[in-house]
Amino acid sequence: MSIMSKLNTSIKLTCLAVGLFTTNLIYAAENTIKIGVLHSLSGSMAISESTLKDTLLMLVDEQNKKGGVLGKQIEAVVVDPASNWSLFSEKARELLAKDKVSAVFGCWTSVSRKSVLPIFEELNGILFYPVQYEGEESSKNIFYTGAAPNQQAIPAVDYLKKEFNIERWVLVGTDYVYPRTTNKILETYLKDHYGVKDSDIMINYTPFSHSDWQSIIADIKKFGATGKKTAVISTINGDANVPFYKELSNQGITANQLPVIAFSVGEEELSGIDTAPLVGHLAAWNYFQSLDTDLNSEFIDNWHSFAKSDKRVTNDPMEATYIGFNMWVKAVEKAGTDDPSAVQNALIGVTVPNLSGSYAVMMPNHHITKPIMIGEIQNDGQFEVVYKSAGTIVGDEWSDYLPSSKSMIADWRAPLACGKYDVSKKVCLKD
């Protein structure tokens, strides 16, 4: 064979190989649907967010064993924004523009959600946000499966007032938008609804990963030593919770003396703490691992099997992830496509079981229905449910307790299709 013949043959084989490779890529692309996983796997928020990444991988694995969705396997594209808010927006753009994912499940802190929101609106993506937040927002491109303040913070205050007759209030939080906005709502609510004076409210903020709580806890102890019954409402996020609870214990503060109710501490965060001195302190969520339902038992068994450890705990944001993922699957099947525009429209009205024995419905304001629960910390790091609402409550995107937002609603159905509609002026406002 001449050199020219060998060269022609080589070119033909190369073309054939490239053709087969391209065909395989197209085949693979046509037979998979990509979703993005945008959770911090390093940095201060890894303590909370890593588990949500694993939850998504478990759900994808389970769905693929059932045949995937629309006859296609689901492929999870995992990225690590490393608790860096600017990196969140960079990774979000990468998932939407480069990886062409159908939907993204991610973020924990509101500052991370605020960082990626413009990217999702610009590229018309879908973000499922699985954590409680401050409200005062409704985006066409975000579906909020965590609690709004009327599904967590407000009921927590009502519970403390009713059960403990609390008169003085300490609002402690990490210094960013969620604690500050939530505390602004709570401060207004306490004054307007219960007539609490400024002098009976103490507010303190600390940076992410704050570790030196000695003087702050001493100040809280002093504030609560006036004879009036006092409680702490905690919006501390991430790994700062570990030294916070350790210092409570070091200074001998018990739940009987000064109860703490947390909005961002669940079974996962407690798994790294000696909980014996914390028994009786509280958390407000919409799910606890201790719930006795068949579906919850199945979820826990599947989680232990996937994690290869029966010591791994479940928590509220995992349930919110479970709800969001199942809603996405159902909406894709309803729309007959994973096209984000079609799925956005299909999601409104989708109903899926939650793990507490009722159902979650995606409402026109892109928030879901949830039961409200208060749990009490036990010796084993679990929570005993001491209060559960009679039914589910619709998430309120704009607070009824802030003068600037109480006339606002969101409804993403046509013809209104607005996230900030002022019902008094009958106009759709833009931020």
Side-chain angles (χ1 to χ4, degrees):
M1 185 181 287
S2 68
I3 292 177
M4 187 56 70
S5 297
K6 289 181 179 177
L7 182 60
N8 287 339
T9 301
S10 175
I11 290 172
K12 287 176 183 175
L13 289 172
T14 301
C15 289
L16 179 61
V18 169
L20 287 171
F21 179 68
T22 305
T23 302
N24 285 338
L25 278 181
I26 293 171
Y27 179 80
E30 288 178 344
N31 285 278
T32 60
I33 293 177
K34 290 182 180 178
I35 60 169
V37 182
L38 184 65
H39 282 299
S40 293
L41 310 180
S42 55
S44 62
M45 292 308 301
I47 184 176
S48 298
E49 294 193 64
S50 296
T51 296
L52 300 190
K53 179 267 293 180
D54 292 334
T55 305
L56 253 308
L57 296 183
M58 177 186 74
L59 294 170
V60 167
D61 184 56
E62 289 177 355
Q63 190 64 33
N64 282 338
K65 286 175 180 172
K66 295 181 213 169
V69 60
L70 299 180
K72 300 180 181 182
Q73 293 288 285
I74 303 167
E75 178 186 348
V77 181
V78 179
V79 295
D80 177 16
S83 308
N84 178 325
W85 318 135
S86 59
L87 197 54
F88 263 90
S89 58
E90 183 182 317
K91 293 295 183 184
R93 184 176 291 282
E94 185 179 305
L95 287 170
L96 294 174
K98 180 185 169 188
D99 297 306
K100 307 289 185 186
V101 299
S102 173
V104 175
F105 297 80
C107 300
W108 182 290
T109 66
S110 285
V111 65
S112 64
R113 188 192 70 257
K114 293 282 188 187
S115 298
V116 304
L117 186 148
I119 309 298
F120 280 87
E121 292 188 340
E122 176 193 337
L123 300 177
N124 196 30
I126 294 176
L127 172 67
F128 284 89
Y129 179 60
V131 185
Q132 87 289 354
Y133 86 121
E134 68 281 3
E136 305 304 284
E137 178 184 298
S138 179
S139 169
K140 172 177 173 287
N141 301 90
I142 299 182
F143 292 85
Y144 307 80
T145 58
N150 72 311
Q151 295 171 311
Q152 185 189 42
I154 297 294
V157 164
D158 290 339
Y159 176 83
L160 288 172
K161 187 66 183 174
K162 181 181 177 184
E163 299 296 328
F164 295 88
N165 193 27
I166 299 299
E167 296 177 278
R168 306 200 91 193
W169 304 80
V170 181
L171 312 181
V172 293
T174 304
D175 192 6
Y176 72 105
V177 60
Y178 162 62
R180 284 191 174 272
T181 306
T182 299
N183 287 343
K184 182 180 174 185
I185 293 170
L186 289 181
E187 190 177 2
T188 304
Y189 183 72
L190 286 169
K191 291 176 180 175
D192 293 348
H193 201 71
Y194 290 118
V196 177
K197 297 176 182 176
D198 281 332
S199 57
D200 286 325
I201 299 175
M202 171 183 172
I203 300 177
N204 182 276
Y205 294 105
T206 50
F208 279 97
S209 297
H210 187 74
S211 59
D212 183 7
W213 289 95
Q214 188 174 10
S215 60
I216 297 172
I217 298 294
D219 288 344
I220 291 172
K221 197 173 178 179
K222 185 177 178 183
F223 184 79
T226 61
K228 291 182 177 179
K229 189 70 178 174
T230 304
V232 176
I233 296 180
S234 169
T235 47
I236 299 166
N237 266 260
D239 52 12
N241 277 300
V242 175
F244 171 76
Y245 280 101
K246 283 183 177 175
E247 189 59 32
L248 278 180
S249 174
N250 290 341
Q251 297 200 24
I253 295 178
T254 66
N256 288 333
Q257 298 168 317
L258 208 158
V260 176
I261 191 163
F263 299 162
S264 293
V265 173
E267 295 85 346
E268 183 74 18
E269 288 76 14
L270 290 183
S271 64
I273 304 174
D274 174 15
T275 53
L278 307 179
V279 170
H281 288 301
L282 304 160
W285 289 104
N286 312 100
Y287 166 88
F288 289 103
Q289 180 175 334
S290 57
L291 290 170
D292 184 16
T293 70
D294 290 343
L295 202 54
N296 190 37
S297 297
E298 181 183 332
F299 180 76
I300 293 168
D301 287 345
N302 291 345
W303 174 240
H304 288 167
S305 176
F306 181 83
K308 296 182 171 54
S309 169
D310 59 6
K311 294 181 179 177
R312 292 293 300 273
V313 296
T314 58
N315 62 19
D316 181 284
M318 289 175 69
E319 193 222 18
T321 299
Y322 168 88
I323 290 170
F325 180 80
N326 287 330
M327 282 186 161
W328 173 77
V329 169
K330 206 164 181 179
V332 169
E333 290 171 342
K334 179 180 169 185
T337 173
D338 67 318
D339 175 73
S341 294
V343 175
Q344 286 165 21
N345 292 329
L347 272 164
I348 294 175
V350 161
T351 302
V352 299
N354 59 31
L355 297 177
S356 58
S358 57
Y359 287 85
V361 184
M362 182 57 72
M363 304 302 290
N365 63 1
H366 286 190
H367 291 62
I368 68 171
T369 56
K370 283 176 167 289
I372 295 161
M373 300 176 207
I374 307 291
E376 194 175 277
I377 297 175
Q378 304 297 297
N379 257 322
D380 59 0
Q382 290 291 314
F383 290 87
E384 179 185 350
V385 178
V386 293
Y387 168 80
K388 183 180 177 185
S389 59
T392 57
I393 309 294
V394 177
D396 190 3
E397 72 285 13
W398 298 104
S399 175
D400 294 337
Y401 306 107
L402 293 179
S404 59
S405 60
K406 63 182 180 182
S407 64
M408 307 298 174
I409 64 163
D411 189 335
W412 288 106
R413 296 170 298 181
L416 192 63
C418 178
K420 192 176 184 181
Y421 185 79
D422 188 329
V423 294
S424 62
K425 298 177 181 176
K426 294 182 171 51
V427 62
C428 183
L429 302 174
K430 304 294 181 186
D431 287 328

